[in-house]
Amino acid sequence: MTIKLIALDIDDTLLNSKGEILPSTIAAVHDALAQGIKIVLCTGRPLAGVKSFLAQLGIAGDDQYVVTYNGAIIESVAGRVLVKHLLDRATYVRLTEFAAAHHVPFNVLDEHSTIYTADRDIDFMTVVQAMENSAGMLVRDPAEMPADFAIAKGLFVGRRAVLDAAEPAVMAEFGDDFYVVRASPNFLEVMAPQVDKGKGLAELAKQLEITAAEVMAVGDEANDLPMFSFAGTAVAMGNGSEIAKGHADYVTETNDAGGLADAIRKLALAPVKN
């Protein structure tokens, strides 16, 4: 089956261990775009946090797309929103109260790339999050926010040991009502129940009239598994988690060894005719 859309995770997939895009990746993406293949970044970040990568890859315009906030918002690269699934202010209150009771750093992201937290002592990972996502940050108690305030996702953040200890309680409290995923060792995220990367990718593919068999997804972590389940071709990075590799159709080289470019060329690009 011809690949018409390639969905790419960002951290440790598109980016190498230095947080850079390899020249071989840029060249492979350019060749894919030239063959009419959609390259869709599927990420937990907001659009503002991926614009620099899109520019490096040469992905622009209102007919190219991103799946952001782990699937909570699907939009064009130009910022036209196709689909969004947000959480309401009452959920923000509930999550914040839980975090305070369990002494876990917590923040939320709204749909405009602004971080809100009730924590007066800002955890270092929240600062990193703001920097990586080009996000503003405000210290606000939920009670200070208007009744119609909505968020794209909530994030329990901090050191691995802190989240390891908190994760069972978070899952027990919120797992039945929301999509809860450990996106990385330092981020445990809560989103609307109809949200994940796979559902977002499926919604986008439907609008583009592309079948699952025509989709290739590449990732490295647990939050990439839903798009692995949807895509006809699932590729795990060689540096990825064992759970990601176990759910993939193909395991490529690591993000430092050009694994993404290799996978694109081997599995998606049509042979060049002389």
Side-chain angles (χ1 to χ4, degrees), residues 112-150:
H112 306 296
S113 306
T114 301
I115 295 171
Y116 294 83
T117 181
D119 299 342
R120 303 296 166 176
D121 295 321
I122 307 297
D123 188 86
F124 174 71
M125 290 312 303
T126 298
V127 177
V128 170
Q129 175 192 345
M131 178 186 67
E132 289 183 342
N133 293 320
S134 301
M137 181 166 55
L138 298 171
V139 177
R140 296 287 188 275
D141 189 272
E144 299 178 72
M145 306 310 296
D148 62 352
F149 182 69

Side-chain angles (χ1 to χ4, degrees), residues 56-208:
Q56 290 179 66
L57 295 171
I59 301 172
D62 204 41
D63 62 345
Q64 299 293 341
Y65 304 91
V66 288
V67 174
T68 56
Y69 299 98
N70 274 327
I73 297 179
I74 305 164
E75 56 196 311
S76 74
V77 170
R80 176 172 55 92
V81 174
L82 281 68
V83 178
K84 61 181 177 180
H85 302 289
L86 305 180
L87 297 171
D88 61 13
R89 181 178 174 276
T91 301
Y92 177 26
V93 171
R94 181 181 169 192
L95 288 165
T96 299
E97 290 177 346
F98 178 93
H102 290 78
H103 308 289
V104 183
F106 179 76
N107 69 71
V108 299
L109 260 173
D110 73 1
E111 61 182 304
H112 306 296
S113 306
T114 301
I115 295 171
Y116 294 83
T117 181
D119 299 342
R120 303 296 166 176
D121 295 321
I122 307 297
D123 188 86
F124 174 71
M125 290 312 303
T126 298
V127 177
V128 170
Q129 175 192 345
M131 178 186 67
E132 289 183 342
N133 293 320
S134 301
M137 181 166 55
L138 298 171
V139 177
R140 296 287 188 275
D141 189 272
E144 299 178 72
M145 306 310 296
D148 62 352
F149 182 69
I151 61 174
K153 64 178 179 177
L155 301 95
F156 297 94
V157 304
R159 293 179 293 109
R160 180 195 291 264
V162 171
L163 294 190
D164 285 348
E167 187 170 0
V170 172
M171 292 299 300
E173 178 69 20
F174 301 107
D176 290 339
D177 299 329
F178 305 99
Y179 172 52
V180 182
V181 65
R182 186 75 173 266
S184 77
N186 305 110
F187 295 97
L188 177 59
E189 305 186 1
V190 181
M191 287 146 286
Q194 64 271 49
V195 166
D196 61 44
K197 285 187 179 183
K199 292 182 177 114
L201 193 53
E203 288 183 289
L204 176 59
K206 183 178 180 180
Q207 294 208 24
L208 298 179

Side-chain angles (χ1 to χ4, degrees), residues 35 37 264-265 268-273:
Q35 291 189 13
I37 298 172
I264 291 172
R265 294 195 180 281
L269 295 190
V272 176
K273 296 181 180 180

Side-chain angles (χ1 to χ4, degrees), residues 9-83:
D9 172 55
I10 292 182
D11 295 299
D12 298 317
T13 298
L14 176 66
L15 305 182
N16 66 8
S17 60
K18 296 180 179 179
E20 301 167 340
I21 304 177
L22 295 176
S24 62
T25 298
I26 294 173
V29 166
H30 285 178
D31 288 346
L33 292 169
Q35 291 189 13
I37 298 172
K38 297 291 187 186
I39 303 294
V40 178
L41 302 189
C42 292
T43 175
R45 302 183 188 216
L47 178 59
V50 303
K51 284 187 174 180
S52 64
F53 307 133
L54 292 167
Q56 290 179 66
L57 295 171
I59 301 172
D62 204 41
D63 62 345
Q64 299 293 341
Y65 304 91
V66 288
V67 174
T68 56
Y69 299 98
N70 274 327
I73 297 179
I74 305 164
E75 56 196 311
S76 74
V77 170
R80 176 172 55 92
V81 174
L82 281 68
V83 178

